[in-house]
């Protein structure tokens, strides 16, 4: 993955951003945050309240509240979330040992931030209880 992209990235251009959405703010560069990775459509940050030794969030820069908000044209972007996630797992040295990818959807899954995101958890043996949901 080309980390030099980080230097040339233009924030806030052409994305549907939602007011008062913390992930939109972070993704548009309006709120200081350390990006582990960022490109035209996706960024990666460490979870502020980690539930595993390694707990990253892979987040589309476009605002989607739920998976139900995506359409056919968004399929490449959703696929890209997984490409970036597996690359991050490699970078963090957990591709071989294993990791968990998780998306919380709605109230019963205790989704707290209404901006679609993929949790990447790993770095040790993860429990099976409640599927390790953060
Ligand atoms: P959810 O419960 O919606 O699936 O996950 C939201 C996650 O975002 C939580 O694990 C929470 O700790 C994390 N989070 C909430 N606010 C912030 C923030 O401002 N910065 C970062 N890095 N993570 C956040
Ligand atoms: Zn948002």
């Amino acid at each position: 993955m080309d980390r030099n992209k980080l230097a040339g990235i233009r924030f806030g251009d052409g994305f549907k951003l939602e007011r008062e959405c913390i992930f939109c703010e972070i993704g548009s560069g309006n709120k200081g945050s350390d990006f582990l990775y960022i490109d035209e459509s996706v960024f990666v940050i460490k979870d502020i309240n980690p539930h595993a030794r390694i707990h990253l969030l892979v987040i589309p820069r476009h605002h989607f509240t739920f998976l139900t908000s995506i359409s056919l044209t968004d399929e490449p972007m959703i696929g890209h979330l997984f490409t970036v996630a597996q690359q991050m797992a490699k970078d963090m040295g957990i591709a071989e040992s294993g990791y968990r990818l998780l998306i919380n959807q709605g109230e019963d899954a205790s989704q707290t931030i209404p901006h679609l995101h993929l949790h990447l958890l790993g770095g040790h043996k993860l429990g099976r209880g409640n599927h390790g949901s953060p």
Side-chain angles (χ1 to χ4, degrees):
M1 209 159 349
D2 183 6
R3 282 174 195 288
N4 292 327
K5 276 185 177 175
L6 195 57
I9 209 81
R10 296 217 317 257
F11 288 105
D13 287 347
F15 290 98
K16 179 182 172 282
L17 305 179
E18 197 74 15
R19 274 170 170 273
E20 294 175 21
C21 169
I22 186 77
F23 287 171
C24 281
E25 278 192 33
I26 293 173
S28 61
N30 291 334
K31 189 176 184 299
S33 188
D34 286 335
F35 294 106
L36 276 68
Y37 173 78
I38 186 165
D39 64 22
E40 290 79 5
S41 56
V42 167
F43 63 97
V44 180
I45 54 176
K46 283 187 183 171
D47 196 292
I48 205 169
N49 182 24
H51 283 70
R53 216 164 284 147
I54 294 169
H55 185 174
L56 308 184
L57 301 172
V58 185
I59 308 173
R61 293 177 69 194
H62 185 98
H63 182 92
F64 300 96
T65 308
F66 300 117
L67 276 170
T68 44
S69 324
I70 66 171
S71 61
L72 268 182
T73 52
D74 302 315
E75 274 189 0
M77 189 282 302
I78 296 296
H80 189 51
L81 287 183
F82 287 86
T83 306
V84 170
Q86 62 91 20
Q87 186 61 51
M88 292 309 302
K90 261 189 212 165
D91 289 358
M92 304 303 285
I94 58 171
E96 298 298 322
S97 53
Y99 53 92
R100 179 170 292 147
L101 297 176
L102 188 92
I103 298 178
N104 291 320
Q105 286 293 279
E107 212 174 319
D108 279 359
S110 305
Q111 181 178 3
T112 55
I113 306 281
H115 177 132
L116 183 69
H117 53 281
L118 191 57
H119 294 261
L120 166 58
L121 300 137
H124 54 88
K125 190 91 181 157
L126 301 168
R128 296 288 300 180
N130 208 14
H131 300 285
S133 177

